[in-house]
Amino acid sequence: MLTALKDSDISVRASAAWALGEIGSEQAIKGLLSILKDLDEDEGVRISATQASGKIGSEQAVEGLLVALKDSDNDMRSSAAWALGEISSEQAVEGLLTALKDSDISVRASAALSS
């Protein structure tokens, strides 16, 4: 499944990220974060990786999600704020406080409504 994250087909990469989030294994975090770190060219793939990271809920994902909070795309920042809210970590709280000050209302709402 992790190799599918590097497939040339966008839908395969997005589906693989979604499936890994559903499986919920912390072993998937490294692969999911590589999508964020290497900035996959497709926004949907990046958002799927962000959401999967939040579903898994591992503190290992926090650093990558904090970077995603700085993305130029509002949907990406909103997804990152939601994912950080799913992770119980002091480091995640710092990111959520930053997201509450975002210029986009959907990002602020995702941070405010997080778990």
Side-chain angles (χ1 to χ4, degrees), residues 26 29 55 76 91 102 111:
E26 284 196 39
I29 291 293
K55 283 184 178 184
M76 183 64 190
Q91 208 178 4
D102 195 276

Side-chain angles (χ1 to χ4, degrees), residues 17 20 99-100 113 115:
L20 289 167
L100 287 171
L113 298 173
S115 301

Side-chain angles (χ1 to χ4, degrees), residues 31-112:
L32 293 168
L33 292 179
S34 72
I35 288 174
L36 300 177
K37 181 182 173 192
D38 298 336
L39 288 178
D40 191 286
E41 74 269 5
D42 185 77
E43 172 192 345
V45 173
R46 292 192 316 270
I47 289 174
S48 290
T50 302
Q51 292 172 342
S53 297
K55 283 184 178 184
I56 293 169
S58 172
E59 283 191 54
Q60 296 175 44
V62 172
E63 187 176 327
L65 293 171
L66 291 174
V67 171
L69 272 181
K70 298 175 185 174
D71 197 278
S72 62
D73 182 78
N74 296 340
D75 292 335
M76 183 64 190
R77 293 194 315 276
S78 180
S79 181
W82 172 85
L84 284 167
E86 295 297 304
I87 300 171
S88 298
S89 162
E90 282 191 40
Q91 208 178 4
V93 171
E94 292 174 28
L96 289 169
L97 291 173
T98 298
L100 287 171
K101 299 173 191 170
D102 195 276
S103 62
D104 184 77
I105 192 167
S106 67
V107 177
R108 294 191 308 267
S110 290

